[in-house]
């Protein structure tokens, strides 16, 4: 005699499923409320202010696109292009340098070394702002230790320039790339390399025809992530270069402090909206790449 387990019929299973789904939404409700308050309200305020302008003569506020138009002209447009250029160059170099470093970490036989590099990468990826700017000024500034020791000023070196800022950004972007690409490198299966070697492929051919095509979505996703991180950075550039390098974050700070024409008080909000749109495009590219890489390396 065999025992049979009780089975729920369709009429009973449907309410149970709906009840579990309702409990799931109830569990995530605090997160949704926090997101709405912490991100939703500021976003609505920014959107409202970006399309609001005050008439200097009458003092009456009205909805208009003048702020957005001003944010895409003159010095503001130059700053936006400068931020995009700086972020793209920094992210590209960090991707090229971070990939071989991460590969060396993954293939290392010394577990302690691997854990030390990953831990240091986690720390350095979050080290920025004024302390980072001060460290580079003290080391590679006009009166920095290495600048004076190697006479870098006579050789044309200038930390307070576009390429100087790129080097500073690489300090936290390369560790971030190591953290981003390491899981993808760990997902490369040993059988793929062995199959390539059994078919007479060299190491270069393996990377060109097998590893890099598989890693391409992860590499592009990491590149986009680094771009977004560099694009949003403010404190380091503000403390180090001031207004010598045009950046949209620095323009927003100037506009907030009142360094704008009369009637353009909300240009800072329009510039912030421009940054949100760029970040939205970045996420629109990053999420599909992340899903594709997860499908390959699962």
């Amino acid at each position: 005699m065999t025992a049979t387990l009780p089975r729920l019929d369709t009429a009973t299973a449907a309410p149970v499923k709906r009840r579990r789904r309702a409990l799931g939404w109830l569990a995530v409700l605090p997160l949704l409320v926090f997101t709405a308050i912490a991100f939703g309200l500021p976003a609505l305020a920014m959107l409202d202010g970006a399309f609001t302008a005050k008439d200097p003569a009458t003092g009456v506020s009205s909805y208009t696109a003048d702020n957005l138009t001003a944010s895409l002209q003159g010095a503001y447009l130059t700053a936006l292009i400068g931020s995009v250029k700086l972020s793209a160059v920094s992210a590209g170099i960090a991707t090229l340098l971070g990939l071989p470093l991460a590969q060396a970490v993954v293939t290392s036989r010394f577990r302690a070394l691997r854990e030390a590099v990953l831990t240091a990468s986690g720390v350095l990826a979050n080290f920025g702002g004024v302390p980072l700017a001060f460290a580079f000024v003290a080391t590679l500034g006009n009166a920095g230790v290495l600048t004076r020791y190697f006479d870098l000023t006579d050789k044309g070196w200038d930390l307070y320039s576009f390429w100087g800022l790129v080097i500073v950004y690489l300090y936290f972007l390369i560790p971030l790339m190591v953290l981003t690409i390491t899981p993808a490198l760990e997902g490369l299966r040993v059988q793929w390399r062995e199959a390539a070697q059994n078919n007479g492929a060299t190491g270069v051919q393996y990377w060109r025809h097998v590893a890099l095509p598989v890693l391409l979505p992860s590499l592009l996703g990491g590149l986009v992530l680094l771009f977004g991180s560099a694009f949003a950075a403010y404190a380091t550039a503000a403390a180090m270069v001031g207004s010598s390098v045009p950046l949209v974050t620095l323009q927003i700070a100037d506009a907030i402090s009142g360094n704008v024409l009369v009637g353009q008080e909300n240009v800072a909000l329009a510039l912030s909206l421009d940054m949100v749109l760029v970040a939205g495009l970045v996420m629109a590219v990053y999420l599909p790449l992340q899903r594709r890489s997860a499908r390959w390396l699962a």
Side-chain angles (χ1 to χ4, degrees):
M1 182 175 179
T2 58
T4 59
L5 296 176
R7 297 172 57 184
L8 295 176
D9 55 12
T10 306
T12 306
V16 173
K17 189 175 182 180
R18 285 196 297 268
R19 192 180 302 112
R20 290 177 178 176
R21 187 177 302 173
L23 291 176
W25 279 107
L26 185 62
V28 81
L29 184 61
L31 177 61
L32 296 178
V33 172
F34 173 79
T35 304
I37 296 175
F39 296 97
L41 293 180
L44 291 176
M46 178 190 63
L47 187 63
D48 178 73
F51 288 96
T52 303
K54 181 182 293 186
D55 190 341
T58 62
V60 178
S61 299
S62 60
Y63 286 103
T64 177
D66 291 345
N67 292 326
L68 286 177
T69 303
S71 69
L72 297 175
Q73 293 179 351
Y76 298 130
L77 179 61
T78 302
L80 182 61
I81 295 175
S83 290
V84 172
K85 180 181 177 182
L86 175 64
S87 303
V89 172
S90 302
I93 297 176
T95 300
L96 294 177
L97 296 180
L99 176 60
L101 178 59
Q103 174 64 12
V105 171
V106 170
T107 57
S108 175
R109 298 180 180 178
F110 302 99
R111 179 167 183 164
L113 176 62
R114 174 182 173 182
E115 293 180 352
V117 172
L118 292 179
T119 302
S121 297
V123 174
L124 297 177
N126 294 281
F127 182 75
V130 177
L132 179 61
F134 174 78
F136 269 89
V137 168
T139 306
L140 292 171
N142 292 338
V145 177
L146 295 182
T147 303
R148 289 182 298 175
Y149 186 80
F150 293 104
D151 294 327
L152 297 180
T153 303
D154 297 337
K155 300 175 182 178
W157 166 250
D158 182 14
L159 178 66
Y160 315 108
S161 62
F162 175 86
W163 287 107
L165 201 57
V166 167
I167 292 177
V168 175
Y169 276 29
L170 291 179
Y171 187 87
F172 60 86
L173 289 181
I174 292 178
L176 181 59
M177 185 61 191
V178 171
L179 295 176
T180 302
I181 200 63
T182 295
L185 289 172
E186 290 177 338
L188 293 176
R189 300 176 184 175
V190 179
Q191 294 86 341
W192 297 345
R193 179 184 288 273
E194 292 176 350
Q197 291 176 346
N198 291 336
N199 285 278
T202 62
V204 175
Q205 290 174 329
Y206 164 75
W207 276 98
R208 179 181 177 184
H209 298 288
V210 179
L212 286 180
V214 173
L215 291 174
L216 185 59
S218 297
L219 286 174
L220 294 179
L223 175 66
V224 171
L225 183 64
L226 298 185
F227 176 89
S229 179
F231 188 72
Y234 163 72
T236 302
M240 196 177 74
V241 300
S243 59
S244 60
V245 178
L247 298 175
V248 65
T249 50
L250 303 182
Q251 287 289 350
I252 291 175
D254 288 341
I256 291 176
S257 63
N259 188 17
V260 292
L261 298 176
V262 178
Q264 295 185 358
E265 292 82 4
N266 288 339
V267 169
L269 296 175
L271 289 170
S272 301
L273 182 59
D274 294 338
M275 290 192 66
V276 169
L277 293 176
V278 174
L281 292 175
V282 168
M283 292 304 298
V285 175
Y286 176 70
L287 292 178
L289 291 172
Q290 187 184 41
R291 286 195 295 267
R292 184 176 180 183
S293 64
R295 194 164 59 243
W296 269 100
L297 300 171

